[in-house]
Structures are given as C-alpha cells and as structure tokens.
Amino acid sequence: MIFVTDAAYTEELNRRAVLACSASACCFGLMMNRAVAEPAALGHARAIADAAVTLPAEAPAPVASRVAWTVLDAMGAILYASTLPDAMAAARYFAGDSRRGAVHVPATGFAASDAAAAAAIAFLIHAAEIDDSDMRGQLRASSVILSATLAAAQAADSSGAAFIRAAALGYTLQGRFVAPVGAIQGRGWMASGVWGPPSAAAAVALLRGQPAEEIASAISLACASSGGLFQYYFDQTEEKRLIVARGARAAVESAELAALGEHGAAHAIEGKSGLYSLFAGSKAPPAEHFTASLGELEGPLFVRPKFFAASHSIIPTLDGLAAAAPQGVAAGSVESIVIRGDSAWGEVIGDKINAFEAPHSRIGAALNFSFVVAMWIARGRVLPTDYTEATMEDETILALARNTSFETAPGEHLSIEVRLKNGETIRASAVDPDPEEPAPLDEARRVSKFEGLARSRLSQGQAEALRTHCLAVGEAESMRDWARRARSICE
C-alpha cells in the first residue's frame, strides 16, 4: 500500500516497498518450511500489534508536520467549545470522573486521569461541529484519536515525537479500517464511534510502551466498546459528542486493562461477530491491509480541516462558491440564488429550500442549506462563532435565504447560481474532495480558521503564542510541560 506525498518521498516508498515485499516473501517461505503457525491464526489485532512495535522511533517528517497542524485545528475547536456553557458542563462531568492523575484538559481548568481527560477533550473537540474529517469514511478524524493520545502522552510524560508517532498510528489505522467500506452511516452507525476506539487504543498502548500481546488485547477490548447510533442525525440531537467522548475513554481504559492482564477476543476485527461483520456488513480485509508499510503512517495526510460549521452536504457548495467569488459577494447586490441538482438532491434539500423556514437552533441553522449559503454571503465565513441569536434574526441573511430556490436539473450533481441586481451571474459547482487523495495543507485557511475560533477566548498575542506552541509540539521534551504551557497561554 503506497500513499503519495511528494516525488522524493514516493520514490523512497516504492524502493522500500519492493524490499519489504521481497523480505516478506522470504519470511513467509521460512515460516512455511518450519511449520510455524500462520499469523492469521492469531487474529488481525495481533498482526497489527506486531507491526506497531516495529515502527520507527519517529514518524516521517511530512506526517509529523501534519499531526502538528491537526493539534492546532483541534485546539481551535476546544477554545471555542470552552465558551459554551453546555459543552463545559459535559466536559466537567467527564473530567470529574477521576480518582487519580493530573492530566490537563486544554483551555480549561480541569485536570483528571488520562481516561477521564480523554473523554473531556473528545467532547470539546467535537462540541461545535468544526473538527476535522477523514473523507474516506466521512468520519471525524481527531475527536477520538487525538484526545486519547494527548491524554495518554501527558500521563506517560512522553516526548512530543513519541506523541506524534502514536497519534499518526491512530489516524493511520482508523483510515485503513474505514477505507474498504466507506461511510457506514447508512447502516445506522456513527463511524468515529466504531473505528475510533480500536485505532486509538493501539496508539495509546504503543505510547505507554506496552508489548505486542498487550497492544493486541487493547485493540480487541476497544473493539468491544465500538458503537454509536446515527439516529441523532434524523432527530437533530447532539449525543454524538457523547459517542466520541465514550470512545476516547474506552481507548485509554482498554490499554490500561490490557496492562492488567485482561484479554479481548482475538478475532474481534475479522471474526463472525467482529467489527466488519457487525458494523459494515462485510468481510474484513486481510491482515496485510493494516500492516503493509505501516511505518509510513500515512493517516494524518488524509485528515481534512472543516472550514465551515455546517452539514457535510452543504460544504462542497460553499467551497465552490468561495472559489468562484474569492473576494466575496456583497449581500446588497444579490437579486436571487438558485441551487440546482438532480432528483436525488431534490429529495434531500429541495423542499426545505423552496419552503424556507428560519432556523430556531444552532444545529438547525447548520443543517439549513439556504440559511448557511446566505450567511456566507452576508458574513463571509461560517464558523461556530457566527451562529448567534442575532445572526439567526438577521434580516439580511433571512431575506437572502427566502430568495433562494431549488431547481431539478437531471444529470447535474449540484451547482449554485447567484444572480446579481446588475444583471451579472456568479456560477459555481460543488467541489467534492476526492477521498482517495491526501488533503492539501491549505496553511492560510487553517491559520485563519484557528484565529477566528481563538478570538472567542484569546487576545491576538495569546493566539499567536498558542499557534506557535501547537505547531512545535514535535519538539517537546515533555508532553506534561507542553500541556502546562498551553494552559498558561490560555489563562
């Protein structure tokens, strides 16, 4: 399995892949000659664990850099969530469930055990619908992985490099779990709650320096805690924040229980009632899918920031509109807005657009196609900080939304047409990212997003200091000291 970044890196991957394949073939032949038991007999979890303990001491440089950017993105989400009373109440509950330890929950005054802190961090990362995604399975990438590894790194007082390597393993396994089956929401499951716990458990156990047999048990035990109903989407409720919090806590607990001698089902991934059979309704890929070239730790390269606090179905249209009108659109110059798509899109969004009703809640606004497009035109951005009572009563936004219509266009995926009062028209197609392609760095937009979220809590000087601190996480000698410094910047 080769994942492309830049030419030099790819050439090295190809060279090493050939050598690895040759070595694997030789080893396989020796094993057969010596009648050694096939690795498959030990289960996928053990195969992953055996590969994990042979990882290089540090992640490849492009991967390490990208993990640091995911830390910055998550920190921005946490900063904003820490201003929401309901989010802080839940985080306080999770952090309060602690009997030992002192792991810091960023941007709060909470300190807890690693398992409790992981849950609190996960809840805050996901609280405001602005955390990043892996589009190969339309799952939120960092909410379970980063929260569990950040808490565990403090508990173990690891170096920044060790933290990055563990987080990269978690992202990589999560991506490899989901890639063969794609989105499983159609089967009624929240993907992050299914694939996140075993992936994060492997990362935590590796970070703790546990041997392969314990890493395998941690993975299997975490598989037993996977789940999370997708019904929240239809009822427009927010318990998915609880799903990722429980998933992160389960990941840490599974690693700790494995260290105490607890064992999970050896075939929890690929077995008759394992992860793939139950949650994806499919056969698991072979163990080599997870272990081949695992040292490349490519997962973080597929993590995409969410630049708009809106439903995934709306964001590609916003991206297309932003590309077509990079300087923005003056709200007062707009005559009307037309959304076009095939009949499938019409069934999903057509009626709601043509019979617009003003939203009455944050989540209702974030799922309202007309309102979100109108807010982008009026405000120039769509961040959690923009969903205020004043925004939802803004007559400029509401008038634009009322003047938006949907037209069925057979064979057309999704497009938008903004008709101006001067007779001109701005046209754009929805820009859907290719889930099989690594995400672009998009540094300027990442920084702009962070600064927009950080302004809810920090001064410009504090925001700049925290940004520098997050991007330098790989240089930290002590993750406890790194977390303390991040906390002091936010005070």
Side-chain angles (χ1 to χ4, degrees), residues 247-269:
R249 181 171 63 189
V252 176
E253 288 177 344
S254 296
E256 294 179 342
L257 288 168
L260 295 174
E262 291 293 326
H263 298 282
H267 302 284
I269 295 171

